[in-house]
Amino acid sequence: IYIYKDGNLVGIPGGSVNIWLVGKAPENPNPLTFGQDKQHDLILSYLFRWLIRYNHEIKRYEWDLARCNIDDLSSIECTLTGSWKWSDGTTIKTDDVVATIQAFKDNPPNDKMKTFLSKLSVVSKKEGIVTLTAPEKNSLMLDILTYPILRSDMIERIRTERLGPDGYVTSWPYAF
């Protein structure tokens, strides 16, 4: 399934994309373990979007789901851009962003992020705007903006492994 901003379903229904990996690919990629394995993260990069993403070709961050003011790495405000859709056609909301970051706070991928996330505050003042605040400037603020955004009602099913590959709702061009 291909999804893009303000777009319709395009592509060949039932078609597939093969991603060649060295080693064993995960049977059911868990986005809550993002940042622990590069192959796993590669697969997730085809399934989920981020608030911002790093463009390796031009060596800088670019907007993805949101425009984020990254001038102050202790307080970042992100505004969702447009009406991005999940693969089932529902709209990506700020509640999804807040719930995703909270899920990573509850289950940090490593000790460095655990320390950072324990002090991070994330709130949605109104629909479309999310503010992340840390007690001091920290480059890990950029890292959390590049974590996959999940639909809020799926997080508990992902966390408890009650979600199989056929149940994923993704936010990027492909479904698992």
Side-chain angles (χ1 to χ4, degrees):
I1 297 175
Y2 297 83
I3 305 296
Y4 59 95
K5 185 177 177 187
D6 298 326
N8 296 318
L9 186 64
V10 293
I12 301 169
S16 65
V17 172
N18 293 318
I19 302 171
W20 292 91
L21 302 171
V22 176
K24 186 176 185 234
E27 293 177 25
N28 192 9
N30 181 345
L32 293 176
T33 60
F34 182 81
Q36 296 179 9
D37 179 270
K38 288 187 184 282
Q39 287 188 1
H40 180 261
D41 293 354
L42 175 65
I43 291 170
L44 293 175
S45 74
Y46 286 94
L47 300 174
F48 296 97
R49 300 187 75 100
W50 306 266
L51 294 174
I52 65 174
R53 64 182 347 178
Y54 188 75
N55 183 327
H56 292 280
E57 290 180 20
I58 61 173
K59 296 181 175 33
R60 64 175 233 181
Y61 287 97
E62 298 178 320
W63 314 133
D64 193 18
L65 289 176
R67 289 191 175 276
C68 300
N69 181 350
I70 58 175
D71 293 337
D72 177 2
L73 294 182
S74 65
S75 181
I76 294 179
E77 184 174 277
C78 295
T79 303
L80 294 181
T81 57
S83 56
W84 294 101
K85 304 285 185 191
W86 293 107
S87 58
D88 67 356
T90 58
T91 302
I92 297 174
K93 299 184 177 286
T94 52
D95 288 347
D96 299 319
V97 175
V98 172
T100 297
I101 294 172
Q102 186 59 50
F104 281 109
K105 286 179 69 161
D106 295 342
N107 187 30
N110 56 53
D111 289 338
K112 186 168 62 168
M113 284 303 281
K114 179 178 184 175
T115 301
F116 168 71
L117 290 171
S118 70
K119 300 173 187 173
L120 182 71
S121 165
V122 57
V123 295
S124 174
K125 296 177 183 174
K126 65 179 185 175
E127 185 56 44
I129 299 175
V130 176
T131 304
L132 294 86
T133 308
E136 58 191 32
K137 292 181 181 186
N138 192 323
S139 62
L140 292 176
M141 186 74 92
L142 293 174
D143 285 359
I144 195 63
L145 298 177
T146 64
Y147 276 45
I149 300 300
L150 313 173
R151 199 166 83 180
S152 58
D153 66 339
M154 293 183 56
I155 291 172
E156 187 59 28
R157 289 185 289 159
I158 293 169
R159 188 180 292 154
T160 58
E161 298 181 8
R162 289 182 291 136
L163 183 66
D166 58 339
Y168 267 90
V169 177
T170 66
S171 59
W172 198 229
Y174 309 100
F176 185 65

